[in-house]
Amino acid sequence: MASSLQKYPSGFLALLFLASSFLPMHVSNSTPPHCHNDESFALLQFNQSFVLDRSASFDPSSYPKVISWNQRGDCCLWDGIECDEITDHVIGLDLSSSWLYGSISSNSSLFNLVHLQGLNLADNDFNHSRILSEFRYLSHLTYPNLASSGFHGHKPSEISQLTRLTSLYLTGGVDGINGRRLLELKVPGLERLVQNLTHIQEIYLDNVDISSTVPDNMGQIPASIGNLHSLTTLAFALDNFGGPLPSSLGNLTNLSILGLIQNHFFGQIPSSFANLTELTNLTVSNNNNLTCGSLSWLSEKTKLTLLSVGQCSINGEIPHVIEP
């Protein structure tokens, strides 16, 4: 049942998505909600579209959450389900690392769960399914996590219509035969995302083919990303980004994590990075033509706990900003 998809954690981002892979569940002493019949039916249909395969999840602590689902039970009590305590609607679905193997089609009952706010399907194998335009029906989504789940193809422009998003996790795989990235976000797709997702706080793009029609066939970070003032995490790894880093990144003064690993950025790190006073993690390694300069501005970054600047040309010594 294994596909040609190579599923592996690619360092920095893989650790981050695993650490964030569970949706928050509310704890209350009030009367527990009771599942709506149509949503219970939709969940059971969604479950029946997959088989359970241990090799579909690489997390060693993974287990099949759906195995506890009972056709006659209250779905609000099922593993991985969160219901609203007032309306009883299903608002959270966390099936991360649940051994799910199969495809998600355009008529999937998943898209009937229109009250979903949190959706976590990370670390499963959806067998090269596309990220479908039908995701736009889940208009209440704030947290979709589709990391390391075997999706492929172009990310549809309709995703940018989900204007309530506060987090976006996309991790692509690699075709084991030709080494091609399976998940693509074509320019101006990223710029459209930046324009519409004004509430976004976390963006993780890992092993996603960011490309464009420019001669070098690489995507660039749009300058408009500096308008996302709520961003606390921005992480791009193995995404085929190129070009210079926009100085507007320095406008993201709430950033605590900035990861720009194994892309093709070149030029000087903008001096505006000195404005990023909340940084705890900074990784710009493995961009062969990126120049870090003197990094003297790091001496003021008292919150910094992780710094990775491998293969980034440095003038002078790195300031001692991290305690051994």
Side-chain angles (χ1 to χ4, degrees), residues 16-236:
L16 285 175
F17 104 74
L18 287 173
S20 307
S21 61
F22 297 98
L23 299 174
M25 297 294 179
H26 299 300
V27 177
S28 173
N29 294 323
S30 61
T31 303
H34 296 284
C35 189
H36 290 259
N37 288 335
D38 59 331
E39 294 180 333
S40 176
F41 182 68
L43 287 167
L44 289 171
Q45 275 194 316
F46 183 65
N47 177 30
Q48 291 168 4
S49 62
F50 305 104
V51 295
L52 298 180
D53 180 2
R54 177 63 185 86
S55 66
S57 301
F58 64 74
D59 184 351
S61 64
S62 65
Y63 68 96
K65 297 176 183 177
V66 297
I67 205 167
S68 65
W69 291 10
N70 187 317
Q71 188 169 358
R72 296 182 180 180
D74 182 352
C75 78
C76 294
L77 303 177
W78 295 348
D79 198 356
I81 305 298
E82 179 188 5
C83 292
D84 187 276
E85 295 176 354
I86 298 176
T87 66
D88 295 349
H89 286 299
V90 174
I91 59 173
L93 176 60
D94 179 3
L95 293 180
S96 58
S97 302
S98 291
W99 303 7
L100 300 181
Y101 177 87
S103 300
I104 298 178
S105 63
S106 59
N107 62 355
S108 171
S109 61
L110 171 68
F111 305 119
N112 296 333
L113 301 172
V114 295
H115 299 279
L116 277 181
Q117 298 173 22
L119 175 64
N120 193 340
L121 299 177
D123 190 25
N124 293 287
D125 189 347
F126 295 116
N127 193 26
H128 297 191
S129 295
R130 295 185 177 273
I131 298 179
L132 300 162
S133 61
E134 281 74 14
F135 273 94
R136 71 185 185 276
Y137 298 139
L138 307 179
S139 59
H140 293 277
L141 271 186
T142 61
Y143 178 103
N145 189 340
L146 307 179
S148 294
S149 289
F151 286 101
H152 91 298
H154 299 281
K155 180 205 71 62
S157 60
E158 287 86 353
I159 295 294
S160 63
Q161 298 175 15
L162 302 177
T163 56
R164 301 188 186 192
L165 292 188
T166 60
S167 300
L168 179 62
Y169 297 74
L170 291 177
T171 301
V174 177
D175 191 302
I177 298 175
N178 56 30
R180 181 176 58 88
R181 292 180 178 89
L182 296 176
L183 191 57
E184 301 172 345
L185 177 58
K186 296 296 186 182
V187 175
L190 181 61
E191 188 164 5
R192 188 176 294 117
L193 275 178
V194 168
Q195 290 173 349
N196 293 349
L197 304 184
T198 55
H199 300 291
I200 200 78
Q201 297 175 17
E202 300 176 310
I203 299 178
Y204 296 85
L205 298 181
D206 187 4
N207 223 352
V208 178
D209 185 5
I210 309 288
S211 56
S212 68
T213 56
V214 297
D216 61 8
N217 200 35
M218 296 178 189
Q220 296 188 12
I221 298 178
S224 55
I225 201 167
N227 298 328
L228 302 180
H229 299 292
S230 297
L231 269 182
T232 61
T233 299
L234 180 63
F236 298 144

